[in-house]
């Protein structure tokens, strides 16, 4: 029975999640869903960091992921506050209708 | 064992991500993102990063996603209406995403022998536990960045409060 997984499998999984994140970011019309696909891309990159940290036996990759998590938490708080502010003034979450700078 | 864990949770993560992509209602997307994050936590653990697995569950699927669900609930976000959207997103974006994936997997597969395999019990020789190792580096070499992140979080909290405050209420 095979008990080892090639590290490339983890990296390819991360690449798949990242590409799905890109696709969701482009296709979604709801601003909250767009924000969630950004979080998905951040998570995919974190998986790459952890996989390489494992293969190089270095702990610094894991510390980098820790800092990414901290910054992502701060970013989520500010981003959701901005979404609330936009909803207050525009009464919509559809990105098609948020075109203040366009007219 | 390692292979079974990887296959199960990689499939779960992919299914969650695809569900995020195809669901129209943001609350369904949010809940499938929680599935993705939890299965990523298990994958972190299988890569020997116990601390990050715990932090992933607590910070991401605990705090961040609860925030998302609260905002969806607060704004009463409904199903997104099907608009034509931008043609560019479909014409250039989807092939672009596929191209990114193809390029990355080509590089990873070509270098597959160099980057090696993952064993469940391949902790570096003489290593203390993962948390002790991380905190040793974090509180000696990286103490200043660690303290600066606390200022960052403070600024983010203040910014969030100011942004989400009702207009006119001084």
């Amino acid at each position: 029975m095979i008990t080892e997984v090639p590290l490339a499998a983890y990296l390819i999984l991360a690449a798949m999640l990242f590409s799905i994140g890109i696709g969701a970011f482009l296709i979604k019309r709801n601003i909250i869903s767009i924000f969630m696909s950004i979080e998905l891309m951040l998570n995919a990159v974190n998986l790459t960091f952890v996989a390489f940290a494992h293969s190089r036996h270095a702990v610094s990759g894991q510390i980098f992921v820790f800092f990414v998590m901290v910054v992502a938490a701060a970013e989520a708080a500010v981003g959701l506050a901005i979404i609330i502010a936009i909803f207050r003034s525009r009464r919509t979450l559809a990105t098609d209708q948020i075109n203040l700078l366009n007219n | 064992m390692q292979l079974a864990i990887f296959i199960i949770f990689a499939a779960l993560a992919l299914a969650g991500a695809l569900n995020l992509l195809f669901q129209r209602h943001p609350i369904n997307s949010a809940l499938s993102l929680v599935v993705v994050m939890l299965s990523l936590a298990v994958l972190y653990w299988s890569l020997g990063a116990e601390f990050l697995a715990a932090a992933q569950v607590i910070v991401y699927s605990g705090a961040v996603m609860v925030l998302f669900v609260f905002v969806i609930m607060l704004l009463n976000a409904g199903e997104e209406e099907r608009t034509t959207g931008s043609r560019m997103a479909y014409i250039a974006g989807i092939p672009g995403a596929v191209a990114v994936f193809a390029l990355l997997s080509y590089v990873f597969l070509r270098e597959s022998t160099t980057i090696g395999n993952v064993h469940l019990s391949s902790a570096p020789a003489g290593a203390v536990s993962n948390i002790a190792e991380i905190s040793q580096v974090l509180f000696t070499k990286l103490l200043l960045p660690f303290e600066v992140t606390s200022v960052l979080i403070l600024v983010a909290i203040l910014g969030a409060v100011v942004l989400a405050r009702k207009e006119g209420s001084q």
Side-chain angles (χ1 to χ4, degrees), chain A residues 1-13 15-20 22-24 26-30 32-33 35-37 39-40 42-44 46-48 50-52 54-55 57 59 61-63 65-78 80-85 87-88 92-94 96-97, chain B residues 1-3 6 10 13-14 17-18 20-21 23 26 29-30 33 36-37 40 43-44 46-49 51-52 55-56 60 64 67-68 71-72 74-75 77 80-81 83 85-86 89-90 93-94 97 101 104-105 108-109 112 115-119 122 124 130 134 137-138 142 145-146 149 152-153 156 160 163-166:
Chain A
M1 181 187 159
I2 314 164
T3 52
E4 295 181 348
V5 184
L7 193 77
Y10 281 93
L11 298 174
I12 288 174
L13 171 68
M16 276 181 184
L17 291 179
F18 191 81
S19 312
I20 293 174
I22 296 176
L26 291 170
I27 288 177
K28 290 285 184 184
R29 288 280 154 262
N30 190 310
I32 297 177
S33 306
F35 204 47
M36 281 192 285
S37 48
E39 296 289 325
L40 179 64
L42 278 172
N43 270 281
N46 280 355
L47 180 62
T48 318
V50 177
F52 274 121
H54 178 88
S55 96
H57 294 304
V59 82
Q62 296 187 11
I63 291 173
V65 173
F66 174 71
F67 280 113
V68 170
M69 275 183 189
V70 172
V71 175
E75 170 243 331
V78 174
L80 288 170
I82 291 175
I83 289 174
I84 290 176
F87 185 77
R88 281 235 179 84
T92 180
L93 287 173
D96 296 336
Q97 291 161 32
Chain B
M1 182 64 181
Q2 175 89 23
L3 189 66
F6 175 77
L14 275 183
L18 285 174
L20 183 149
L21 182 56
Q23 288 289 342
S29 297
L33 191 54
V36 176
M37 284 166 174
L40 279 183
L43 291 178
Y44 290 171
S46 77
L47 285 167
F51 171 68
L52 285 181
Q56 171 91 355
Y60 263 127
V64 173
L67 204 59
F68 268 97
V71 169
I72 291 169
L74 196 67
L75 300 186
E80 52 187 27
E81 61 267 35
T83 56
S86 81
Y90 289 92
I94 305 306
F101 168 66
L104 285 173
S105 13
F108 292 148
L109 284 176
S112 180
I115 50 186
N117 289 338
V118 173
H119 318 260
S122 70
N130 179 248
I134 285 184
V137 181
L138 199 58
L142 296 172
F146 181 72
T149 50
L152 171 78
I153 292 179
L163 281 170
R165 192 182 51 180
K166 264 211 173 68

